[in-house]
Amino acid sequence: MVKIALISDTHSSLPENAINSMEDVDEIWHAGDVGNPEVLEKLPKKPLLRAVFGNIDDQYLQRELPEEVFFESGGVKVFMIHIGGTPPRYAKGVKTKIKNYQPHLFVCGHSHICKVVQDKELDVLYMNPGAIGNHGFHQIKTMLTFELDQTVKNLKVIELGKRGRI
């Protein structure tokens, strides 16, 4: 069993209570819009970090991070990209990639809207953790935690307080 913390859209801000929620996970996934590379340095060091760059990330982060990743964790195939759209209206090219790779789990950020839904047409679980940073239109900072053991288990939405406050 693999414990995951999923975050996105830090926009150069990482709340202390988010760090506390990531202390006992095996992997941290960041679905883009890191903002400042120092955010990644502030994350707990023990967990494996998987991250993609987002549309606000500068050339440095674009060189350091991939635009998209395909991987397996806890027996679950995962596809992660920053701008993914939402079922059934995915961003350009994303639906084709999902059909070709056939992940069990599709992860994206960008919308600042926390949403988890099963796409029955593509047979994939869609996850967007919302936004954890202070910039954007979201009202509440959110992240997801869950476990992988051939499937997603013990999914939790963690609310970290109002945007603009730490």
Side-chain angles (χ1 to χ4, degrees), residues 52-121:
V52 295
F53 71 79
N55 58 296
I56 68 134
D57 293 323
D58 64 14
Q59 290 180 346
Y60 172 79
L61 282 167
Q62 289 180 27
R63 280 192 309 271
E64 295 298 311
L65 302 174
E67 181 176 11
E68 60 189 36
V69 289
F70 300 91
F71 59 93
E72 189 169 320
S73 181
V76 176
K77 286 173 57 176
V78 181
F79 169 34
M80 183 167 62
I81 191 169
H82 180 60
I83 300 177
T86 186
R89 299 179 60 187
Y90 291 97
K92 185 177 181 178
V94 168
K95 191 171 188 175
T96 300
K97 290 178 183 183
I98 292 172
K99 286 180 178 180
N100 290 340
Y101 185 67
Q102 298 182 336
H104 304 107
L105 179 57
F106 172 65
V107 174
C108 65
H110 187 64
S111 72
H112 293 224
I113 299 169
C114 184
K115 184 174 185 175
V116 177
V117 64
Q118 181 71 35
D119 183 333
K120 293 178 183 171
E121 177 193 344

Side-chain angles (χ1 to χ4, degrees), residues 10-11 19 38 58 72 88 94 96 107 109 111 114 128 130 132 141 155 158-159:
T10 47
H11 290 264
I19 296 169
E38 291 176 7
D58 64 14
E72 189 169 320
V94 168
T96 300
V107 174
S111 72
C114 184
N128 185 323
I132 200 172
K141 297 180 278 189
L155 174 65
I158 298 176
E159 293 185 353

Side-chain angles (χ1 to χ4, degrees), residues 15-31:
E16 193 66 37
N17 56 352
I19 296 169
N20 296 339
S21 297
M22 294 183 247
E23 289 292 341
D24 66 341
V25 300
D26 301 306
E27 298 183 13
I28 298 170
W29 300 353
H30 194 306

Side-chain angles (χ1 to χ4, degrees), residues 109-159:
H110 187 64
S111 72
H112 293 224
I113 299 169
C114 184
K115 184 174 185 175
V116 177
V117 64
Q118 181 71 35
D119 183 333
K120 293 178 183 171
E121 177 193 344
L122 297 180
D123 192 28
V124 67
L125 183 62
Y126 169 93
M127 278 192 186
N128 185 323
I132 200 172
N134 286 317
H135 298 289
F137 62 88
H138 58 287
Q139 296 299 309
I140 303 293
K141 297 180 278 189
T142 58
M143 64 181 283
L144 299 174
T145 61
F146 52 94
E147 296 169 348
L148 296 176
D149 186 8
Q150 307 304 315
T151 189
V152 175
K153 298 179 178 180
N154 300 316
L155 174 65
K156 294 178 186 155
V157 176
I158 298 176
E159 293 185 353

